[in-house]
Amino acid sequence: DKFLIPGAIDVHVHFRDPGAPEKEDWATGSAAALAGGVTMVLDMPNTNPATITVEALEAKHAIARAKSQTHYGLFFGATRDNLDEIRRAENIVGIKIYMGSSTGNLLLDDPAVWEEVFKIAKEKNVPVVVHAETESMIQAGKRDCECAKVATEAAIALREKVGNRLHIAHVSCKLELDLIRAHKCPELTCEVTPHHLLFTADDTKDAFLKMNPPLRSQADQDALWEGLRDGTIDCIATDHAPHTKEEKLRPFAEAPAGVPGIEFMLPLMLNAVNEGKLTLEKLVALTSENPARIFGLHVMGWSLVDMNLEKIIQISDIRSKFGWSPYLGRTIKGWPAQVWL
Ligand code: DOR
Ligand code: ZN
């Protein structure tokens, strides 16, 4: 009942280093990753300073090289005036565009600049990763599925014009999935988070489940599981976004958006395998094979997973710095027993 599977690659983490050591850093984030069977992480650029200059990129590489217990790759952020920096950037796994605003100040909502970034990505042969929400609708208080769909539609149309590779981050709605399915090709890929697969909007009681994009309806969640099975969705990625308990206890409107997930992504999904929601082979494709192909990586490391081990997720399990998880108290069957790098 134990299976040796390739190490998972989490293509979407926020390790907050440099900039917010009270939330997480490369040492604690990567320790949590490794404990959860994740042997490689790709870190997002909304750190402080943001990864939008070659200098900041090199500084982050130096920190990660010194502190990370896992293999890693770094994304470069796009802004309206850093196109030359993007052109010069080497040793990146992709370029991130925040089409709508989220944590940090990397908003880029100008379609003319999107097109320039898509062209540069094509020349560099790296994917563009988009946070696809529509800024005008966010500002109008409408962070709904239409808000996600309009941005996704614009990104897909631009990709078809330019011919680059495009990866849609944290797909959360049926409307988005239907669009992606209709335009699916090797150059158009996407990911889903564990939290959108396991919670719905009805679970949002306080800011601990506040994130962008927000939790959706049961029908949307059902569509995400279907998208995993039929190949529309390529990866499961956490969007591991640590914030402190103190910040999350603030009134909903003032609390920062984002939930952690890296330590329990694989156990949660092994549990789903045990429940018959997907096969182990499919899970390995979603967490290792497809991420490696999309971002041009080697799968490095292995996990020996015990499909019969049953354990409750507890605070004492948490290796991340901030000490909470939206999954506390869940009984999970299926855990990595040993992990090799
Ligand atoms: O909820 C989120 N938190 N969504 C994002 O896009 C960013 C992330 C963060 O960095 O906290
Ligand atoms: Zn993110």
Side-chain angles (χ1 to χ4, degrees):
D1 297 318
K2 294 202 181 86
F3 296 86
L4 190 65
I5 64 170
I9 301 173
D10 187 346
V11 304
H12 191 149
V13 307
H14 299 268
F15 276 179
R16 311 298 190 203
D17 192 0
E22 72 286 4
K23 296 179 197 263
E24 192 79 291
D25 65 28
W26 274 96
T28 53
S30 64
L34 204 52
V38 175
T39 55
M40 185 168 202
V41 298
L42 305 188
D43 189 61
M44 286 295 166
N46 63 337
T47 38
N48 187 12
T51 318
I52 53 176
T53 62
V54 170
E55 193 189 349
L57 174 71
E58 282 169 4
K60 195 193 268 187
H61 268 299
I63 296 170
R65 201 177 303 128
K67 295 207 240 173
S68 184
Q69 300 194 36
T70 59
H71 300 288
Y72 64 87
L74 304 180
F75 285 103
F76 204 79
T79 70
R80 69 171 46 255
D81 42 36
N82 77 338
L83 297 183
D84 281 333
E85 295 285 333
I86 302 176
R87 284 189 191 96
R88 285 173 48 221
E90 283 169 33
N91 207 356
I92 58 173
V93 290
I95 303 166
K96 176 78 181 274
I97 299 180
Y98 285 86
M99 299 172 80
S101 48
S102 193
T103 307
N105 52 3
L106 286 182
L107 170 66
L108 176 56
D109 63 347
D110 182 339
V113 184
W114 296 341
E115 183 162 346
E116 289 309 306
V117 176
F118 278 37
K119 285 179 180 161
I120 296 171
K122 188 179 178 189
E123 280 162 27
K124 295 178 90 80
N125 192 24
V126 293
V128 171
V129 176
V130 288
H131 179 119
E133 291 188 285
T134 307
E135 183 58 16
S136 58
M137 297 169 85
I138 295 172
Q139 292 309 328
K142 294 202 188 80
R143 203 160 208 152
D144 55 12
C145 283
E146 195 61 28
C147 169
K149 188 198 123 179
V150 170
T152 302
E153 203 161 34
I156 290 175
L158 193 53
R159 192 213 77 72
E160 291 185 348
K161 178 175 173 196
V162 174
N164 62 310
R165 286 148 65 199
L166 174 68
H167 180 79
I168 317 266
H170 39 55
V171 171
S172 59
C173 296
K174 180 172 188 301
L175 279 175
E176 287 172 279
L177 267 184
D178 290 345
L179 263 176
I180 294 167
R181 190 177 287 113
H183 294 262
K184 188 76 185 168
C185 60
E187 292 76 29
L188 175 62
T189 56
C190 68
E191 70 191 33
V192 66
T193 69
H195 49 271
H196 290 108
L197 288 170
L198 297 169
F199 294 107
T200 66
D202 291 341
D203 297 311
T204 312
K205 308 272 188 265
D206 52 35
F208 282 95
L209 281 179
K210 176 178 177 180
M211 81 287 291
N212 303 322
L215 296 172
R216 309 297 193 186
S217 71
Q218 187 61 57
D220 287 310
Q221 190 186 81
D222 293 345
L224 296 178
W225 282 102
E226 191 47 44
L228 283 182
R229 287 185 288 257
D230 77 8
T232 309
I233 297 172
D234 303 274
C235 314
I236 300 175
T238 60
D239 198 4
H240 179 76
H243 295 289
T244 64
K245 245 188 255 180
E246 177 270 323
E247 289 171 308
K248 287 300 219 177
L249 284 166
R250 290 177 194 158
F252 195 87
E254 289 151 40
V259 286
I262 198 160
E263 191 146 7
F264 304 114
M265 167 176 81
L266 193 62
L268 289 161
M269 291 303 131
L270 293 172
N271 189 65
V273 170
N274 270 325
E275 288 175 342
K277 287 174 144 172
L278 74 172
T279 64
L280 189 58
E281 289 82 355
K282 185 75 188 181
L283 177 59
V284 169
L286 289 161
T287 53
S288 299
E289 184 184 339
N290 297 343
R293 190 190 65 247
I294 294 165
F295 293 97
L297 313 166
H298 294 282
V299 176
M300 301 208 267
W302 299 94
S303 290
L304 186 68
V305 298
D306 182 344
M307 294 306 288
N308 278 338
L309 181 60
E310 210 172 276
K311 242 175 35 178
I312 297 173
I313 297 181
Q314 298 178 50
I315 288 201
S316 54
D317 292 330
I318 298 174
R319 287 166 174 81
S320 276
K321 224 178 223 183
F322 44 83
W324 64 275
S325 162
Y327 306 106
L328 284 178
R330 283 191 189 227
T331 302
I332 298 295
K333 188 173 174 186
W335 289 83
Q338 294 187 41
V339 183
W340 289 272
L341 276 183

